[in-house]
Amino acid sequence: MSMQFAGGAVRGFKSHKSELEDEVSLVANSKRVRSVFVIGLCSCLFVFLSLVAIGECRRQSAERLRMADLALIKSSKINETIISLLYKAESLMTLVIQSDGEVKNFERIAKQLVDHPSIRNVLLAPGGIVKYAYPLKTNEKLIGFDMFSDMPGNLEARQARDTGRLTLGGPFQSVQSGEIIVGRLPVYINDTTGTRTLWGLVSVTLDYPAVLKDVNLDDMTLAGYVCEIWRENPDTVTRQIILSSTGEERKNMAVEHSFSIMNANWNIGIAPITPWFARADLYKSLLISLLLSLLLASLSRDYERMKQMKKTLEMLAMNDSLTQLANRRCLMLEFQQQIKRCKAAKTTFAVMGFDIRRFKQINDIYGHAAGDAVLVEIGKRLSKFAGKNNLVARISGDEFMIILRDIDGIDLLGKQDAAEKEITQPIAVTDYNKIEVSVCSGVAVYPADGHTVENLMLFVEHSIYSEKYKEEISKREML
């Protein structure tokens, strides 16, 4: 535009136009420049704002679908957890029916049913009055308790009686201590005349919130969402929070889902931690940056960010996030490289596998943090034991493997024993607690024990499970 103006001025000068004509030409060209700038700016704003609006709507729609999927996953997990425990009431019902209401062998059967740490007790209540409880030692106060009374939580018991269905109750305060979730199932038997009559209720009691610990709402926070699970308390007719990722009640959830669980209705709500309008402001800020001629800088920044993310993802894809050891994928690649190398050079290598015995008990007794500390420490010990020239990998929850690249002149059985000795040294998880672990191990040598990755791993796993089996047989013979 400025070149056209200059050319016009020169031509005006050369043709001896009047000063008035020059001024008109100057004003006209200035208005054109401003008009083009305004039109261009408005056009860019319209286009970019339209694209951002469309993208934001699509993103919000996709996020709503994702939250709906997460709600279904969490509600399914709750159903699976509670139903698997409360359906033990069916066994209690069978016990009563088979004995025609004269309960026999209750303690023996109940002992088999109370096989989960979240099960507080199982009860039999003829006519709604608790007469049998297991374990009795911690539940004496429940003997004689009337499940059809007006106590909190008994409304669901009356609902079970009236509907004839296994009915979930709670969470509510126990008459003993703490809060509980219960499943009550009405039992019907035929009297002497053949008439089907109500015998009473059987009940399974679960400790709350311990029974729902595996639902784990922390992953929702990590994913950028708040999550609440609630019900309408039938005793108070108020909203009762069952689980919350924030510990506080939050209304106006973006996605809400109701689900039925054993004749009761629960609800789950999910919403983004960051509100929609905050994210829209971020996009507007980026748009302003774009209009301020920072497009190249933004693209360069995005390109570098994508490159760094790619490097990070590649690193994470090959490493175990807890122990920082190689993961299964990295182990498989190393296996293939070693097989290729040894096949060409006609040499050998070995792989050692280790499985921690009764690792679940460590988590149950000391907590998952202690279990993680044990895994990290074992990983450090194996890394120190293996040295820099060999690969140590964590391939699953409590399983580790070592690829020994150079085994010429090495006593593998002696090295295996040395590794077990190193691992089984007491591990300090707190200032006062030390955990002693034991392991099962196995060794495979290429190509004597297998020519493929699958064969070598199967050989190691077979050795480990054979050792476990022998230990189990030995224990049974001792008993």
Side-chain angles (χ1 to χ4, degrees):
M1 298 298 296
S2 59
M3 290 297 294
Q4 290 179 2
F5 170 73
V10 171
R11 287 193 297 271
F13 176 76
K14 288 180 178 180
S15 60
H16 304 285
K17 288 184 178 179
S18 66
E19 291 183 5
L20 179 60
E21 290 176 328
D22 289 338
E23 289 179 5
V24 170
S25 177
L26 178 63
V27 171
N29 281 282
S30 297
K31 286 184 177 180
R32 181 179 176 84
V33 169
R34 284 195 286 268
S35 297
V36 169
F37 174 77
V38 171
I39 292 172
L41 178 61
C42 292
S43 299
C44 289
L45 284 172
F46 175 79
V47 171
F48 281 111
L49 286 176
S50 297
L51 292 174
V52 168
I54 293 171
E56 178 66 12
C57 288
R58 290 180 176 177
R59 189 192 65 79
Q60 289 187 16
S61 297
E63 191 166 36
R64 285 181 181 276
L65 290 174
R66 185 187 179 197
M67 288 187 289
D69 288 340
L70 290 172
L72 288 173
I73 291 171
K74 289 299 179 184
S75 61
S76 297
K77 180 65 176 177
I78 292 170
N79 262 299
E80 177 186 347
T81 300
I82 292 180
I83 289 174
S84 65
L85 297 175
L86 293 188
Y87 261 120
K88 296 176 184 293
E90 299 277 0
S91 299
L92 294 172
M93 179 185 70
T94 302
L95 173 66
V96 175
I97 293 174
Q98 288 180 346
S99 60
D100 292 327
E102 298 295 330
V103 179
K104 299 176 182 179
N105 300 319
F106 168 71
E107 186 170 347
R108 179 174 63 83
I109 300 299
K111 186 176 181 180
Q112 296 175 2
L113 296 177
V114 182
D115 59 355
H116 191 279
S118 296
I119 300 178
R120 178 180 288 195
N121 58 53
V122 293
L123 308 172
L124 299 184
I129 308 298
V130 177
K131 186 176 180 180
Y132 302 92
Y134 181 88
L136 181 61
K137 185 177 180 180
T138 55
N139 295 281
E140 296 93 340
K141 293 181 180 179
L142 294 176
I143 302 300
F145 177 75
D146 185 0
M147 290 189 179
F148 297 147
S149 66
D150 292 331
M151 293 288 291
N154 284 350
L155 190 62
E156 291 96 333
R158 297 193 292 273
Q159 182 183 357
R161 176 195 63 191
D162 297 339
T163 61
R165 296 165 56 191
L166 176 59
T167 300
L168 175 71
F172 58 83
Q173 187 68 33
S174 169
V175 296
Q176 297 168 291
S177 63
E179 292 187 276
I180 57 174
I181 292 175
V182 297
R184 286 138 172 176
L185 177 64
V187 180
Y188 296 88
I189 61 175
N190 294 327
D191 60 16
T192 56
T193 64
T195 305
R196 187 169 180 263
T197 59
L198 177 68
W199 174 87
L201 296 178
V202 295
S203 173
V204 178
T205 306
L206 308 177
D207 282 316
Y208 165 82
V211 67
L212 297 176
K213 67 178 181 179
D214 291 338
V215 176
N216 186 22
L217 297 187
D218 291 339
D219 58 356
M220 301 294 290
T221 302
L222 294 175
Y225 302 109
V226 294
C227 181
E228 284 183 359
I229 298 164
W230 76 93
R231 68 165 188 155
E232 184 179 277
N233 190 314
D235 294 309
T236 61
V237 198
T238 58
R239 178 187 176 108
Q240 178 186 6
I241 300 298
I242 299 170
L243 289 178
S244 173
S245 61
T246 62
E248 299 177 355
E249 182 177 354
R250 174 169 172 171
K251 297 181 179 180
N252 301 321
M253 291 293 190
V255 171
E256 294 189 355
H257 171 65
S258 296
F259 60 99
S260 178
I261 174 171
M262 289 187 169
N263 211 17
N265 290 318
W266 285 15
N267 304 277
I268 182 170
I270 301 177
I273 294 175
T274 304
W276 309 112
F277 63 86
R279 290 172 174 165
D281 287 342
L282 175 61
Y283 288 115
K284 290 178 182 178
S285 298
L286 292 174
L287 180 60
I288 292 172
S289 298
L290 180 65
L291 295 174
L292 292 175
S293 301
L294 294 178
L295 177 60
L296 291 177
S298 299
L299 291 174
S300 299
R301 179 203 60 199
D302 292 341
Y303 175 78
E304 183 64 23
R305 182 182 296 168
M306 291 175 63
K307 189 166 69 173
Q308 293 300 323
M309 287 175 63
K310 182 179 179 181
K311 289 181 180 178
T312 302
L313 290 173
E314 289 175 349
M315 183 188 69
L316 291 175
M318 303 295 284
N319 286 74
D320 174 58
S321 60
L322 177 63
T323 62
Q324 302 306 309
L325 299 174
N327 60 12
R328 178 180 283 270
R329 180 184 178 190
C330 182
L331 181 75
M332 295 297 102
L333 293 175
E334 178 66 15
F335 255 127
Q336 294 169 0
Q337 291 176 3
Q338 290 304 312
I339 289 174
K340 184 177 181 181
R341 178 184 67 83
C342 292
K343 187 175 181 180
K346 296 184 179 180
T347 57
T348 64
F349 73 94
V351 56
M352 288 186 181
F354 303 89
D355 185 284
I356 305 172
R357 292 191 180 113
R358 297 177 293 279
F359 180 72
K360 183 178 182 299
Q361 294 181 9
I362 297 176
N363 282 331
D364 293 341
I365 296 172
Y366 298 97
H368 289 278
D372 290 347
V374 168
L375 293 174
V376 171
E377 180 59 27
I378 289 177
K380 290 179 180 178
R381 293 179 181 183
L382 287 177
S383 296
K384 181 179 178 182
F385 170 82
K388 295 182 179 179
N389 294 328
N390 300 308
L391 178 73
V392 181
R394 179 187 176 210
I395 62 172
S396 68
D398 56 358
E399 294 181 23
F400 297 80
M401 278 194 175
I402 301 176
I403 291 182
L404 301 173
R405 297 186 175 98
D406 186 7
I407 60 173
D408 290 338
I410 292 179
D411 177 11
L412 288 177
L413 293 179
K415 197 167 184 66
Q416 180 183 1
D417 291 338
E420 287 191 10
K421 184 177 179 181
E422 179 70 22
I423 294 173
T424 55
Q425 295 295 319
I427 298 174
V429 294
T430 66
D431 294 337
Y432 307 100
N433 290 325
K434 288 186 177 181
I435 297 177
E436 293 185 1
V437 299
S438 60
V439 297
C440 295
S441 62
V443 179
V445 178
Y446 173 87
D449 299 323
H451 293 80
T452 66
V453 174
E454 293 77 10
N455 290 340
L456 290 170
M457 291 193 70
L458 282 173
F459 190 94
V460 173
E461 291 173 357
H462 178 73
S463 301
I464 291 173
Y465 290 124
S466 295
E467 187 175 341
K468 283 186 176 180
Y469 180 76
K470 291 177 182 177
E471 182 189 39
E472 200 66 31
I473 293 297
S474 177
K475 284 184 177 180
R476 292 179 181 177
E477 291 176 351
M478 292 177 64
L479 293 175

